[in-house]
Amino acid sequence: MNIFRILGDVSHLLAMIILLVKIWRSKSCAGISGKSQVLFAIVFTSRYLDLFTNFFSIYNTVMKFVFLMCAYITVYLIYGKFRKTFDNENDSFRLEFLLIPVTGLSFLENQSFTPLEILWTFSIYLESVAILPQLFMISKTGEAETITTHYLFFLGLYHALYLANWIWRYQTENYYDQIAVVSGVVQTIFYCDFFYLYVTKVLKGKKLSLP
Amino acid sequence: AGSASGKDEL
């Protein structure tokens, strides 16, 4: 395991913790897309089914378990405990526009036509677009709380670090996974516009608001 | 490329 991979996982974990702490402390999930969080819960569930079939390392098992827990607790806080603060009106992205193409593609383009492999592929494709309802919500309301932008920053950083990890692994182990790499590039591109706004506005102490 | 049993990444 290389430094990019570890830092990528830490960024990913940090993003999820930032979101949980934000919701918990403010007792509100205003500005958070419940749909994106449901998609992430589906992503982890369909990807980590190998918890039951393969053992890689203690690290791998523990992290998968923690990621699953974070995702489910977040969904519970949004649709359960703090549902009164949930901005249903602006969380209006049509999920079928993501789920139908992603499902179709995972059946067409995978490494082997087996249930676990198709579900893994589905989770990779879905992860690359799962943030779109959140970005759509921000573009619709025209603003995001600073803490929400920190969440998005660390989530985007995780994707960028994983790209570096794959370049490293390709150079040192000659390993690459085409499905993961292509999806990883796609999702990192989605964050570029946001990264620009984050650096030019949020880091200079301004709130992220769109003209 | 990794197979189903070689996916150690998260």
Side-chain angles (χ1 to χ4, degrees), chain A residues 117-128:
Chain A
E117 195 66 19
I118 291 170
L119 280 166
W120 179 86
T121 311
F122 168 80
S123 83
I124 296 287
Y125 293 151
L126 185 60
E127 188 186 12
S128 70

Side-chain angles (χ1 to χ4, degrees), chain A residues 131-150:
Chain A
I131 200 62
L132 290 181
Q134 179 67 62
L135 297 176
F136 177 76
M137 193 172 180
I138 290 174
S139 71
K140 200 174 170 192
T141 60
E143 59 174 23
E145 282 178 58
T146 300
I147 186 122
T148 308
T149 66
H150 295 329

Side-chain angles (χ1 to χ4, degrees), chain A residues 27-42:
Chain A
K27 302 195 188 316
S28 162
C29 45
I32 302 300
S33 164
K35 287 182 176 174
S36 275
Q37 297 308 316
V38 168
L39 291 181
F40 283 124
I42 297 173

